[in-house]
Amino acid sequence: GRLSRMVRDMLILSKSDSDRLILEKSNCDITQIVTDTVEPFQMMCELDNKTMSVFLEDGVKSRVDEDKLKQALIVLLDNAVKYTKPGDEISVTLRTTAYKYIISVADTGVGVAESELQNIFERFYRTDNSRNGETGGSGLGLSIVKAIMVALKGKVFAQVNEPHGLKVVLEFPKERLE
């Protein structure tokens, strides 16, 4: 249950703490990874009367650690579903620039105050307006995302999703297939 999940999350974090978050990169179809990861969450949204729209650039391929990327995405999608109500919308986007991939998960949920956006990636940090208590989050998820993105030589940041809600963006560098 929740406790074992928290323990598992902490184990992952302890690895990332000592820079032992070892990446196992392979040639990956990022478009497919995102599609597969989003699918169960889309089903959850349908049951909850929420909308999850997906806008993915086609045929995006790179060398990346598939499991770690999925893990980061799962945390973001899980949060987006947790902190939205029926009628809310979640959108998942994948696009590329000359040098990097950008994946974003935006929702029209309760959001986070602008002053707290920096802090939500710190371990155990929880915002006042309880993106926490009732949803039972441990406050670990986003720190894991940060550790994964650092390992991928990328970054993660959050923005206010206008008019309300949260948008979390993952950016990581393109890598040539081997």
Side-chain angles (χ1 to χ4, degrees), residues 86-155:
D88 274 332
E89 291 173 35
I90 299 165
S91 67
V92 183
T93 319
L94 163 66
R95 61 191 186 85
T96 61
T97 67
Y99 303 106
K100 60 189 173 192
Y101 303 104
I102 302 165
I103 299 173
S104 66
V105 177
D107 66 61
T108 59
V110 293
V112 169
E114 188 118 24
S115 57
E116 304 198 61
L117 287 176
Q118 302 311 314
N119 302 331
I120 60 175
F121 299 101
E122 301 308 318
R123 197 181 316 187
F124 302 123
Y125 183 80
R126 285 162 125 192
T127 63
D128 293 340
N129 71 355
S130 122
R131 274 182 80 97
N132 51 39
E134 69 235 43
T135 48
S138 61
L140 281 174
L142 288 171
S143 55
I144 290 174
V145 174
K146 184 178 176 181
I148 290 172
M149 294 319 291
V150 168
L152 292 173
K153 297 191 170 35
K155 59 178 182 176

Side-chain angles (χ1 to χ4, degrees), residues 159-178:
Q159 300 167 326
V160 172
N161 188 32
E162 298 300 338
H164 60 92
L166 183 69
K167 179 181 186 175
V168 182
V169 183
L170 307 178
E171 289 186 357
F172 52 103
K174 284 186 172 178
E175 260 195 55
R176 226 167 265 185
L177 300 179
E178 282 178 13

Side-chain angles (χ1 to χ4, degrees), residues 7-140:
V7 170
R8 194 188 60 217
D9 288 355
M10 289 175 87
L11 286 171
I12 293 161
L13 264 179
S14 67
K15 288 199 184 92
S16 68
D17 267 357
S18 53
D19 290 328
R20 277 183 309 154
L21 197 68
I22 295 163
L23 294 181
E24 294 181 19
K25 290 186 177 179
S26 58
N27 294 345
C28 294
D29 182 330
I30 310 258
T31 308
Q32 196 58 52
I33 291 172
V34 178
T35 303
D36 293 347
T37 311
V38 163
E39 198 176 2
F41 290 97
Q42 276 182 303
M43 291 181 197
M44 282 161 68
C45 283
E46 276 172 37
L47 296 173
D48 285 350
N49 194 18
K50 299 169 186 175
T51 314
M52 186 177 280
S53 318
V54 186
F55 308 95
L56 307 183
E57 214 171 282
D58 252 355
V60 177
K61 293 185 169 56
S62 184
R63 282 183 68 71
V64 73
D65 184 320
E66 178 170 355
D67 289 341
K68 301 278 188 313
L69 181 58
K70 274 189 173 157
Q71 199 180 357
L73 267 171
I74 285 166
V75 172
L76 299 190
L77 292 163
D78 186 50
N79 282 346
V81 171
K82 247 190 228 159
Y83 299 118
T84 48
K85 297 180 169 58
D88 274 332
E89 291 173 35
I90 299 165
S91 67
V92 183
T93 319
L94 163 66
R95 61 191 186 85
T96 61
T97 67
Y99 303 106
K100 60 189 173 192
Y101 303 104
I102 302 165
I103 299 173
S104 66
V105 177
D107 66 61
T108 59
V110 293
V112 169
E114 188 118 24
S115 57
E116 304 198 61
L117 287 176
Q118 302 311 314
N119 302 331
I120 60 175
F121 299 101
E122 301 308 318
R123 197 181 316 187
F124 302 123
Y125 183 80
R126 285 162 125 192
T127 63
D128 293 340
N129 71 355
S130 122
R131 274 182 80 97
N132 51 39
E134 69 235 43
T135 48
S138 61
L140 281 174

